[in-house]
Structures are given as C-alpha cells and as structure tokens.
Amino acid sequence: MCAMRLLLHGLLLCLISSLCIGQAAAAVRVGNFVWEDLDKDGVQDSGEQGIPGVTVQIWNSAMTSLVGSAVTNATGNYQIMVPDNANYRMRVILPYAGDRFTLPNVGSDTTDSDILSSSTNIGTSNVYTFASGVVANLSLDAGVISDPMRDHNIGDKVFRSNVDGLQTSTTFGRSGVTVELLNTAGVTLQSMVSGSSGHYSFKALPGTYRLRFTHPSEVPTPMQDNGTDDSLDSDIDENGYTD
C-alpha cells in the first residue's frame, strides 16, 4: 500500500512537472542587421555596410512594454531573445537626428528593411507573431539613409588673440561672437553665436563658402594666416571675413 502511494505520488509530480514545463514560454532569437542604404532603394546591396552602435528594441504589439533591447555590433548585427507565442514590434533609434529610414518591405524579406519610414508608426515595424515553437527570426533588418550633411562640418573656435594672431596654451575662447556662413555671392546661409568655449559649427554640403565674424565691441586681429600651422592661426582679415 505504501509502495502504491509512493508510485502515485511520483506520477503526480511527474504530471505536474510536465504541465509546468509545457506552460513555460520558449525563447526566440531575433535579429539581424542595421545598414546604411547608400542608393536609397530599400534593399541590402553588395558594398553597403552595417552601422555599429544603433539601439534596436523589441516591444509588445501595443508599444506599451519594452521586451528586449540590444546595440548593433561593429558589423551592424544584433540579436535579442524574446518569449515565443506572442506579438511584437521592432523599434530602431536613428543614430543621428538628420538620418531617416529607407523604403520598407521592398523585395525579399532577407534583404529588405522592416522599419516603417512614414505614418504614425515611423521608426517601428509592423506587428510580428512568433508562434509557439519558433526558434529564431533573423530577418528583422533596418535600412538607414544618412544625413548628407552629417560629415560636412565647417567650424572651430573664436579666440581672444595676442598681437601675433596665434593661439597658445593660455589662449581663451571668445563667446558671444556672431559667425555667419556665406555663399560666394555674400548671402548669409546660416548664422550662430559662438558658445562659452568659443566654438561654433555649421553643416554644409560640399561647395565654396566664406565666414564672417562680428563682435559688438571688439575688432578682428590684423594678423591673418600668420605662421605655418593652420590649426593655430587666425583665418579672418581686418574686416572679419575669411578668404
């Protein structure tokens, strides 16, 4: 009788254990690639490189709960583990403010971008269902069109000059100076005021430009392009213009 009770108890534990295991959600491996779409066609082409350091997130379908997150590696790849038998959306955070997403869902699912580039859900994918038993979905990709002016910066520093017009280790930056970016006709394209450290910066497409510097109470140094080190000299003439 005792042996029978032990046998029944063992069978009951086995049944409970099996039910619990059956109810546990399995993990799905989600990935895979964030790349720079150079020709803006929405398709991963040969020679188009992955983008490292991009945050990729998996949310529930209602976008109310973050399920998992990862940052793309040096080759632009990522992987996130999420429970199966659920609905999700992928979200990608653009690496730079001026970037945008390429065309979504063009051609094969293995080479397209799954991130919506317009509508109220911009930056997220459509809803994906990972059914019970699915082990991996490695086709969730994102194509990014880079800001064309991201790497075209004009600027540096306005500094309080000695009589020789050169920066030294004790030279201070000059704040409050109005700096204008001009085209070849002298028309102001952009304008800003130098910050507390004297620095300023403009984004501009490749081309020919001039800069004009104006301060309400101080005048430019007359020593333009003095010396042989262009990183230390002053580039403006006595009227505040660069060449």
Side-chain angles (χ1 to χ4, degrees):
M1 188 68 177
C2 181
M4 180 63 71
R5 283 200 300 269
L6 288 174
L7 177 60
L8 290 174
H9 182 66
L11 289 173
L12 181 60
L13 287 176
C14 182
L15 177 60
I16 293 173
S17 177
S18 298
L19 289 173
C20 290
I21 292 173
Q23 291 172 354
V28 180
R29 186 160 50 100
V30 177
N32 179 60
F33 189 50
V34 178
W35 90 97
E36 183 176 5
D37 190 13
L38 297 175
D39 58 2
K40 308 174 186 178
D41 65 350
V43 177
Q44 301 170 38
D45 298 310
S46 176
E48 292 181 337
Q49 302 296 313
I51 305 175
V54 178
T55 298
V56 181
Q57 300 171 335
I58 301 296
W59 290 73
N60 66 344
S61 58
M63 295 294 293
T64 57
S65 178
L66 178 63
V67 180
S69 180
V71 176
T72 56
N73 63 16
T75 59
N77 292 96
Y78 76 94
Q79 288 191 10
I80 302 172
M81 302 299 291
V82 299
D84 70 354
N85 198 27
N87 300 323
Y88 299 106
R89 287 184 188 269
M90 172 188 176
R91 181 190 180 207
V92 176
I93 299 175
L94 286 170
Y96 294 92
D99 293 349
R100 58 191 175 94
F101 294 106
T102 192
L103 299 170
N105 305 314
V106 177
S108 170
D109 196 45
T110 60
T111 58
D112 71 343
S113 177
D114 299 291
I115 298 299
L116 302 177
S117 56
S118 61
S119 82
T120 56
N121 293 319
I122 185 170
T124 67
S125 69
N126 290 318
V127 175
Y128 285 88
T129 299
F130 299 148
S132 178
V134 172
V135 176
N137 186 330
L138 300 180
S139 64
L140 298 186
D141 306 321
V144 175
I145 299 174
S146 296
D147 179 356
M149 295 193 295
R150 182 203 301 174
D151 299 320
H152 299 289
N153 293 321
I154 299 173
D156 195 8
K157 183 179 181 181
V158 182
F159 61 93
R160 188 183 295 276
S161 173
N162 296 317
V163 293
D164 60 3
L166 297 175
Q167 301 179 64
T168 68
S169 59
T170 59
T171 300
F172 292 99
R174 191 68 176 92
S175 63
V177 177
T178 299
V179 187
E180 298 168 272
L181 180 68
L182 313 175
N183 63 13
T184 54
V187 176
T188 300
L189 304 176
Q190 300 179 51
S191 179
M192 68 170 298
V193 176
S194 60
S196 59
S197 63
H199 287 92
Y200 69 94
S201 178
F202 298 109
K203 284 186 175 182
L205 293 172
T208 302
Y209 303 95
R210 297 184 74 188
L211 295 174
R212 177 168 58 201
F213 297 78
T214 308
H215 190 274
S217 61
E218 298 180 3
V219 296
T221 175
M223 300 297 291
Q224 182 184 27
D225 297 325
N226 188 26
T228 59
D229 191 341
D230 195 49
S231 66
L232 298 178
D233 69 352
S234 175
D235 298 295
I236 59 175
D237 61 22
E238 64 274 13
N239 297 312
Y241 288 86
T242 61
D243 292 335

